[in-house]
Amino acid sequence: MNSTALQSALREWETLIRSPRLWATFAIVVAIFVAMGPSGTMEDMGLAERAAFWTLLHAAAWAVAISIITLAEIWLREHISSTLVLLTINAVLATPFVAAAVELVRWSWLSLPPTTLSYGSQFAVCLPLSILFSLLTHMTMSAKPAASTASQLTVSAAAIPQEPPPLLARLKPDIRGPILHLTVEDHYTVVTTTRGRQLVLLRFSDALRELGEIDGLQTHRSHWVAAAHVEGLEKVGGRFAVRLKSGTVVPVSRSYADSARRRFGDIRDIGERQPLA
C-alpha cells in the first residue's frame, strides 16, 4: 500500500468519524445488543456492565472493520466496477480481523481464551456485521467526493475572478459586453457583443486567440459563435446554420457540421425562414 493510498485512507477515516449516519447506526446496534443480552450477557451482567461490554466490543469491531474496509475500498474500486462485488469482497476481507478483535475483547473482559471453535463461531457472527460496515463505509465514501467537489468548485469560482478576454480591450467602451459572434469582413474582424458590433483591424485567427476562455465554436472559416448564446442548429434552404438567441443565423460549413452537431444537437429543417448572416 503506497503513501498516496494511506493518505486517502486517512482522509476517508476522518470523514467517516464525522458521519452522523455512522454514529446513529453504531448507537442503534449497541442498544440492540444491550437490550437482547446475547452470549449469556443478560444473565451474567447488570445493565451498566452489559452496556459497557457491548460498547467496547462494538467499538473495537467497528474500528477494525472500517480501517480494513476503507483500505480495501480505495485499492479495489479502480479495478471492480460492480458495487455488489466490491461490497462483498470488502466484507470478506474484513471479517477475519473483526472476529479476531471480538475474541480479544471477550478474552480480556470475560477471561475466555480464544479457541478454533470460538473463532469460527465469531467469524460467522461477524460476517453479516462486516457487510453492514462495508455498506456504511461505501455510502459515506461515495457521497463525500460529490459534495467535496461541488464545494471546491464553488470556492474556486468565487475565489478566482475571470479575466475579460483581450479582444474586449480593442472595442469601444460602450460596445464592451458578452461576445456573441465573430465574423470576417475583408481584412477586419467584426465583433458582435450584446451591446453592439464593431470592426476591428485584426486577423480572424488572432481574434480567435484573443477570445481567452470564452466557450464557443468556430462554425465556418469566417465565423465563430459563443456557445452560451446559441439557440440551436437549423437547416436553412439546404444549408446548415446556427441560430443565435438574438435571432442572427450564422452559417455552418460542411467541414464544421459534425462538430456543430455534437456540440449543439440535432439539426431542424426550417426551410427558407431567414437568410444566413
Side-chain angles (χ1 to χ4, degrees), residues 19 22 61 123:
S19 171
L22 178 72
F123 187 97

Side-chain angles (χ1 to χ4, degrees), residues 75-266:
W75 184 56
L76 293 174
R77 63 188 172 189
E78 300 297 328
H79 309 284
I80 299 175
S81 56
S82 171
T83 301
L84 181 60
V85 173
L86 180 62
L87 293 176
T88 302
I89 292 176
N90 289 346
V92 170
L93 289 174
T95 300
F97 298 95
V98 176
V102 170
E103 282 288 87
L104 288 174
V105 171
R106 284 168 52 84
W107 188 11
S108 62
W109 193 289
L110 304 175
S111 300
L112 296 174
T115 65
T116 303
L117 183 60
S118 66
Y119 179 79
S121 177
Q122 293 304 328
F123 187 97
V125 172
C126 291
L127 181 57
L129 283 176
S130 294
I131 294 173
L132 172 63
F133 300 146
S134 182
L135 179 61
L136 283 170
T137 303
H138 178 80
M139 290 173 62
T140 304
M141 291 175 67
S142 298
K144 184 196 70 110
S148 176
T149 300
S151 175
Q152 290 173 4
L153 289 175
T154 302
V155 171
S156 298
I160 304 175
Q162 293 184 349
E163 292 291 334
L167 186 58
L168 277 184
R170 297 179 180 271
L171 305 181
K172 298 175 183 177
D174 58 339
I175 298 295
R176 294 173 188 172
I179 297 175
L180 309 181
H181 174 217
L182 302 183
T183 188
V184 175
E185 189 171 310
D186 295 329
H187 298 293
Y188 292 85
T189 295
V190 181
V191 182
T192 302
T193 72
T194 55
R195 303 179 66 182
R197 64 200 303 265
Q198 180 180 329
L199 281 170
V200 178
L201 184 57
L202 187 67
R203 291 185 304 176
F204 189 60
S205 58
D206 292 332
L208 293 177
R209 280 193 290 271
E210 291 194 6
L211 285 169
E213 297 183 1
I214 297 178
D215 184 20
L217 183 72
Q218 186 172 353
T219 64
H220 187 281
R221 66 180 181 181
S222 302
H223 293 274
W224 175 93
V225 294
H229 299 278
V230 171
E231 185 178 271
L233 283 176
E234 297 180 347
K235 198 171 184 181
V236 185
R239 298 169 62 190
F240 298 109
V242 169
R243 180 172 291 275
L244 302 183
K245 294 176 182 178
S246 63
T248 302
V249 179
V250 180
V252 177
S253 65
R254 293 191 181 276
S255 58
Y256 290 95
D258 288 341
S259 298
R261 185 183 289 109
R262 285 194 300 269
R263 186 65 193 277
F264 302 127
D266 296 330

